[in-house]
Amino acid sequence: MTDSPRTSSANMPQTGSTTVQSATTKKKLGPVLVQLQHVNKWYGDLHVLKDVNLTVRKGEVVVMLGPSGSGKSTTCRTINRLERIDSGTILIDGKKLPQEGKALQKLRQSVGMVFQSYNLFAHLTILDNVTLAPRHVLHMPKDQAQKEALELLHRVGVDGQAQKYPAQLSGGQQQRVAIARALAMHPQVMLFDEPTSALDPEMVGEVLNVMTDLAHQGMTMICVTHEMGFARHVADRIVFMADGRVLESESPEEFFEHPKTERAREFQSKILGH
């Protein structure tokens, strides 16, 4: 038996707090935390991001939907400069994302990211995977790093696996460890780039439960996913992309019940029709 995660029950103005109607409850959001302004990116002659504008507030859960090749993952990866942009501006907590060097490294510490693949170090135990960055980047004392890591592993439901190695865990367990590892750096915002796409169907729920729990606890999240149930019930806002552009930015209810563009209606008919 595998461990189960512990579960608990259009752009906005640039300053101040606001209240949005999420799919489940009314939530008061904080000030702007992430902002993309007129972002463009090319791969050679291919224009993959076309004047992308995106604003995410503290505590907001934004789910990015769209067909393959629409620019969702590229947009997500530009937020911590894993992908460089060719024009435009990206701001994290009001600070322009640096191009490189120690300033970029420092700002990246506030942006956690979980990928499709788990990217755990195979030669390290689960506990050591989670404590590695806090000890060597944040210079956290070993005892404190281990204490916080065990708390995080408990939070995502894999504390019983702390002394095992990644190969001894299921895919769902490894992805939950990857989430704990990202949280260990005390990020202001979490980026999820299709975190369930590489998992067997029965393991998807394990990871979505952890992500739902994080959302309920107020974590700012930007999620690229094809999990429509998660998008409908957990997101505060749906950002729909196609052909490198943001075509819609709406509440889940508005997006799923009243899509405004033909491209969004076509996407929904293909995804929700099966």
Side-chain angles (χ1 to χ4, degrees):
M1 181 181 295
T2 61
D3 294 325
S4 297
R6 276 65 172 176
T7 55
S8 64
S9 20
N11 294 345
M12 302 177 184
Q14 297 184 17
T15 59
S17 61
T18 189
T19 300
V20 299
Q21 180 71 45
S22 72
T24 56
T25 187
K26 192 171 284 188
K27 179 197 279 188
K28 187 171 183 179
L29 301 176
V32 170
L33 188 57
V34 178
Q35 191 166 26
L36 280 68
Q37 301 172 332
H38 305 292
V39 168
N40 287 273
K41 180 174 178 60
W42 282 264
Y43 290 129
D45 294 330
L46 184 62
H47 196 180
V48 293
L49 296 182
K50 304 172 182 176
D51 198 40
V52 171
N53 293 281
L54 176 66
T55 299
V56 181
R57 291 184 171 273
K58 183 176 175 60
E60 189 174 16
V61 178
V62 172
V63 170
M64 303 185 73
L65 300 178
S68 296
S70 61
K72 309 181 301 295
S73 289
T74 302
T75 299
C76 190
R77 292 167 68 90
T78 64
I79 295 172
N80 62 357
R81 197 68 80 185
L82 289 177
E83 293 281 359
R84 293 180 176 273
I85 62 175
D86 293 297
S87 65
T89 303
I90 299 176
L91 300 162
I92 308 293
D93 199 17
K95 299 175 184 176
K96 188 173 179 180
L97 193 62
Q99 290 289 335
E100 56 186 18
K102 290 184 177 180
L104 176 59
Q105 181 181 351
K106 183 176 177 62
L107 199 57
R108 274 179 172 166
Q109 294 173 20
S110 65
V111 182
M113 188 155 188
V114 178
F115 302 89
Q116 298 177 33
S117 55
Y118 329 121
N119 296 324
L120 300 178
F121 292 106
H123 66 290
L124 297 179
T125 66
I126 296 307
L127 183 61
D128 288 341
N129 265 279
V130 179
T131 61
L132 184 66
R135 289 182 61 194
H136 293 279
V137 178
L138 300 181
H139 305 292
M140 188 181 294
K142 181 178 179 181
D143 289 348
Q144 181 184 349
Q146 289 186 340
K147 180 177 182 293
E148 292 191 9
L150 288 171
E151 290 172 351
L152 287 169
L153 291 173
H154 176 77
R155 185 174 170 185
V156 301
V158 289
D159 46 313
Q161 314 296 332
Q163 297 305 325
K164 293 183 179 179
Y165 289 87
Q168 296 175 286
L169 274 61
S170 70
Q173 289 173 324
Q174 290 188 61
Q175 192 62 295
R176 284 185 272 154
V177 172
I179 294 173
R181 180 181 58 183
L183 291 172
M185 295 296 288
H186 301 170
Q188 291 182 280
V189 57
M190 286 283 288
L191 310 177
F192 293 87
D193 185 10
E194 299 193 20
T196 61
S197 64
L199 298 178
D200 292 335
E202 64 269 21
M203 298 178 184
V204 169
E206 301 175 2
V207 175
L208 293 181
N209 284 342
V210 171
M211 294 172 62
T212 300
D213 198 39
L214 287 176
H216 290 167
Q217 292 170 13
M219 174 60 73
T220 307
M221 299 165 59
I222 302 173
C223 311
V224 176
T225 184
H226 291 295
E227 300 295 337
M228 295 298 108
F230 178 85
R232 184 187 289 266
H233 297 296
V234 181
D236 298 306
R237 183 157 50 98
I238 303 294
V239 171
F240 177 75
M241 293 189 69
D243 303 316
R245 300 183 186 277
V246 174
L247 298 186
E248 301 200 23
S249 181
E250 303 288 349
S251 69
E253 180 180 10
E254 187 68 18
F255 176 77
F256 285 109
E257 300 300 329
H258 308 288
K260 292 179 170 54
T261 62
E262 181 59 34
R263 192 67 185 88
R265 288 190 287 271
E266 179 186 356
F267 173 78
Q268 288 194 39
S269 68
K270 291 179 178 178
I271 296 295
L272 302 178
H274 295 284

